[in-house]
Amino acid sequence: MSDTLASTYAIDFGTSNTVIARWNPATQQAETVKLPTLSQVLPNNPPVIPSLVYVEDARSPKILLGQTVRDRGLDIAQDSRFFRNFKRGIGSGMTGFLPELDGCPVTLEQVGQWYLHHLIRQLQDQDPSLRSLTVTVPVDSFESYRHWLGQVCQTVDLEQVRLLDEPTAAALGYGLGDRSTMLVIDAGGGTLDLAVVKLETPQTGDRKPLGFLLKWGSKNLAETSSQRPQLARVLAKSGQNLGGADIDDWLAAHFAETQGLPISSLTLRLVERLKIQLSSQEQASEVYFNDETLESYELNLDRDRFRQILEQHHFFERLDDALNQVLRQARRQGLEPGDIDAVLLVGGTARIPALRDWVIDQFSAEKVQSDRPFEAIAHGALQLSQGLEVKDFLYHSYGIRYWDRRANAHGWHPLISQGQPYPMPVPVELLLGASQDNQPSIELVIGELGNETSRTEVFFDGDRLVTRQTSGNQPMVQALNDTEQARRLANLDPPGYPGSDRIRLLFQVDGDRQLRVTVEDLLTNKILINNRAVVQLS
């Protein structure tokens, strides 16, 4: 099949809902895809697929997902076979009980893989011409999540897969051609992402794609487009693990405290309905029936009380922190808040009136756009297959692990700062000495340094998956290559001794976000490693 007949799709894989979009070559427009039995269709809303999984048999495996789970009432039972919010735990350290189903241990990475594989297979059955796929990712995701996502995509029969930051995709999805500098606030089920994105037309001849984060295949499908590409320049971005799932937990805890309701899958579903109702009306109510005690409770909530609950959990303070961070980055690029042409609200949580009021307090109401909260990301991601170029920068900082003799523990020496554009024009130089007598080799373990403000704790409470925000004074660090090979990267001959610099390292990030290293032995003047790729950065 020729590339001109191949279909291109995008998947916005969310914590609460997933949206799939397809590029229609006849209309030259993006359109949202509905999958039979899996998609939820509500009045005045596009079709979305609930990010829910029920494992009927882990050995086969045989799973149910999406709207099918809700239609069968499997999302309200206390059952270890039911998974919601599983995306938040992918790539995160887990504590507590992990279920074993049908004699098989089940991880959240496995659940996520089953979910995406099932969606892609059904898409391929529905459209055999599917060849190109773009999958969006939160800006605050660690490399482990991106690596997992890349591995999942490489196991499906596709010629080309790309990854794109969700806020960048949202800016493209709104398509505000007359307003080129946009602040995207993506408030979804699991993450809060902010980004300042500037759309511009590159100079003639400047067609090299800078932002394809993942791709393979024999041919670049985007190069078949005759259109002059548009450039999406990411000027600033910030993110937090904060979303609708947290708000549902806060509401469930509120009714547990005020009315004695147990926190369960059923009560979480009911408070989610209350939250959705309050997006379009001043008051909301639901009825809870306890089938054990035969008691019923009426759950009532209005917008004022909802806002108070958000304030109690410092929701708006965290919004302030995220906004201040992204605006500080923008100022370093010479951009002031008044230079922002439009503020785009994306994600189901962005429909909360109190959040919209907060945005209007920061910017004029005329700049705020919120009419495409569900579709903008998936539709915008399709632009990568239509000749778009993305110029991006590294979101996280990175460091090299070293042995701290005073603390008698490993520490991390900063290496590459957050916000570093790539490819790097000038390498970073580092001199290292041996840490022990007769040292036979050097270690090069690279860590991804997260924010110090908060972290996400993922654990099981009985049969219920819980994600909780905790504060901390120490930065989150995730080692990217803590392997035997990295711990013995280059041999020292003769062996090293403490007291003087022994090796010179040059680090550089290439256009594909690969961290490359050159290692020179200062004693022998030999190049031990020459421009070797050691880890993938995000």
Side-chain angles (χ1 to χ4, degrees), residues 171-229:
L172 303 169
Y174 266 91
L176 303 179
D178 59 333
R179 286 177 279 184
S180 61
T181 304
M182 291 166 277
L183 169 65
V184 181
I185 300 178
D186 179 6
T191 56
L192 170 70
D193 290 337
L194 284 77
V196 177
V197 180
K198 185 176 181 61
L199 301 183
E200 56 191 41
T201 302
Q203 298 296 319
T204 303
D206 182 16
R207 293 185 58 88
K208 183 180 179 182
L210 298 176
F212 293 144
L213 303 182
L214 174 70
K215 60 181 178 180
W216 63 84
S218 58
K219 187 173 180 65
N220 184 350
L221 302 185
E223 292 176 355
T224 64
S225 172
S226 61
Q227 300 176 352
R228 188 177 180 186

Side-chain angles (χ1 to χ4, degrees), residues 415-416 424 427-428 444 505-519 529-535 537:
L415 188 65
I416 297 173
M424 286 172 56
V428 174
L444 188 63
L505 300 100
L506 295 176
F507 296 94
Q508 199 154 13
V509 182
D510 64 20
D512 294 322
R513 295 183 303 116
Q514 292 273 2
L515 178 64
R516 295 182 171 274
V517 63
T518 296
V519 180
I529 294 175
N530 186 25
N531 198 32
R532 181 191 298 176
V534 288
V535 291
L537 307 182

